[in-house]
Amino acid sequence: MEQRVSLVTLGVRDLARARAFYERMGWVTSGHEDDDVVFFQAGCMIVALWGRDQLAQDSCVVDGGGWGGVTLAHNVGSAADVDAVMAHAKAAGAIIGRAAAPTFWGGYSGLFIDPEGHPWEVAHNPGWRLAEDGSVHLSTGQLKPQASWVDAVAAAQAS
Amino acid sequence: MEQRVSLVTLGVRDLARARAFYERMGWVTSGHEDDDVVFFQAGCMIVALWGRDQLAQDSCVVDGGGWGGVTLAHNVGSAADVDAVMAHAKAAGAIIGRAAAPTFWGGYSGLFIDPEGHPWEVAHNPGWRLAEDGSVHLSTGQLKPQASWVDAVAAAQAS
């Protein structure tokens, strides 16, 4: 399997509400108003909103009813950009899980939760390269190495 | 907020098991063996594996314990490629949720569930453009329009 994700589908209980939220966040879909699935082109991939019950059935899983172990992140180029997206999310009706602040791994992030309960971290990670096209790339050693997570967690736990 | 996803983090209960599964699927990480988070460069974005309890806490959510409304998909260029990835996933230890078969929306897909319970649809969608770099693009009218989902669902429900 190639090392990529083509589509992230977010199951929603109220499609119109979910769609309106992402549109308030500035996202644009070419879909029709009465579509029962909404697709957003998201860089190299696609984000979809679909009925949660239908998605659970299609995914051959039992819906635990809450969060299920997947969190998305949106990386931006600076702490100020994190603040701006977080303010936008709050104005658009998101729940603010945690306000933007410096993180233990040397970056800066906040977290909002969309009206359907899906969390998004908004982050500035100086150790990753954010290209002009919005793509995000793991550093290859010239910046913060991944192993520093281990040290950072240990330091945070010890403090 | 720009229309893109930078990072999808999959919460896992057994990081070594999860990492080994994705490595058996052919994915490569530059991380160290004892890292407490594993990053995979996935096209324009990054996929991470991290402890599910830590991710829940970091995401400011209560873990429902099961699936929580997010499903990933991996699109490929043909039905034969779907079959190949599904066979690979089965050999790598995935649970096969549904065997590959034609879908109501005119494509062909199967679904596997990784050892941590995260479902992946493997799909060939003739209505989307799969570029050589692996990026996936919504068609712009020259192929299957999104509105056909509505008709397809109605037809499937009526049949």
Side-chain angles (χ1 to χ4, degrees), chain B:
Chain B
M1 183 165 78
E2 289 177 29
Q3 200 158 325
R4 56 184 175 75
V5 178
S6 307
L7 169 69
V8 175
T9 303
L10 301 178
V12 302
R13 301 200 190 285
D14 185 332
L15 183 63
R17 177 182 66 179
R19 175 180 179 158
F21 171 77
Y22 284 95
E23 288 181 338
R24 282 195 298 275
M25 290 303 292
W27 287 27
V28 176
T29 173
S30 59
H32 297 267
E33 264 193 33
D34 60 351
D35 286 355
D36 70 343
V37 61
V38 175
F39 295 111
F40 296 101
Q41 183 71 47
C44 70
M45 49 165 288
I46 293 163
V47 171
L49 307 174
W50 195 26
R52 184 160 168 149
D53 289 346
Q54 295 159 290
L55 181 62
Q57 187 176 0
D58 197 62
S59 302
C60 310
V61 292
V62 175
D63 189 347
W67 180 80
V70 182
T71 294
L72 306 180
H74 183 81
N75 279 44
V76 293
S78 68
D81 288 345
V82 173
D83 289 339
V85 173
M86 288 296 294
H88 191 158
K90 186 176 181 181
I95 294 168
I96 303 303
R98 53 181 165 79
T103 66
F104 71 86
W105 43 265
Y108 183 87
S109 83
L111 187 129
F112 73 80
I113 299 173
D114 83 5
E116 295 286 339
H118 298 299
W120 281 85
E121 183 178 40
V122 182
H124 170 56
N125 183 339
W128 290 354
R129 183 170 64 83
L130 180 62
E132 282 198 13
D133 65 1
S135 61
V136 178
H137 304 268
L138 296 168
S139 68
T140 52
Q142 74 277 26
L143 292 167
K144 184 173 70 71
Q146 293 166 28
S148 70
W149 271 69
V150 177
D151 301 333
V153 169
Q157 288 174 338
S159 68

Side-chain angles (χ1 to χ4, degrees), chain A residues 8-73:
Chain A
V8 175
T9 303
L10 301 178
V12 301
R13 302 199 189 286
D14 184 332
L15 183 63
R17 177 182 65 178
R19 174 179 181 158
F21 172 76
Y22 284 96
E23 290 182 337
R24 282 195 298 274
M25 290 303 291
W27 287 26
V28 175
T29 173
S30 59
H32 297 268
E33 263 194 33
D34 59 352
D35 286 355
D36 70 342
V37 60
V38 175
F39 295 111
F40 295 101
Q41 182 71 46
C44 68
M45 49 164 290
I46 292 162
V47 171
L49 307 174
W50 195 27
R52 183 160 169 149
D53 290 346
Q54 295 159 290
L55 181 61
Q57 186 176 0
D58 196 62
S59 302
C60 309
V61 291
V62 174
D63 189 348
W67 181 80
V70 182
T71 294
L72 307 179

Side-chain angles (χ1 to χ4, degrees), chain A residues 4 15 53 57 109 120 129:
Chain A
R4 55 184 176 74
L15 183 63
D53 290 346
Q57 186 176 0
S109 83
W120 282 84
R129 183 170 64 83

Side-chain angles (χ1 to χ4, degrees), chain A residues 74-87 100-101 108-110 122-124:
Chain A
H74 183 80
N75 279 44
V76 293
S78 68
D81 288 345
V82 173
D83 289 338
V85 173
M86 289 295 293
Y108 183 87
S109 83
V122 182
H124 170 56

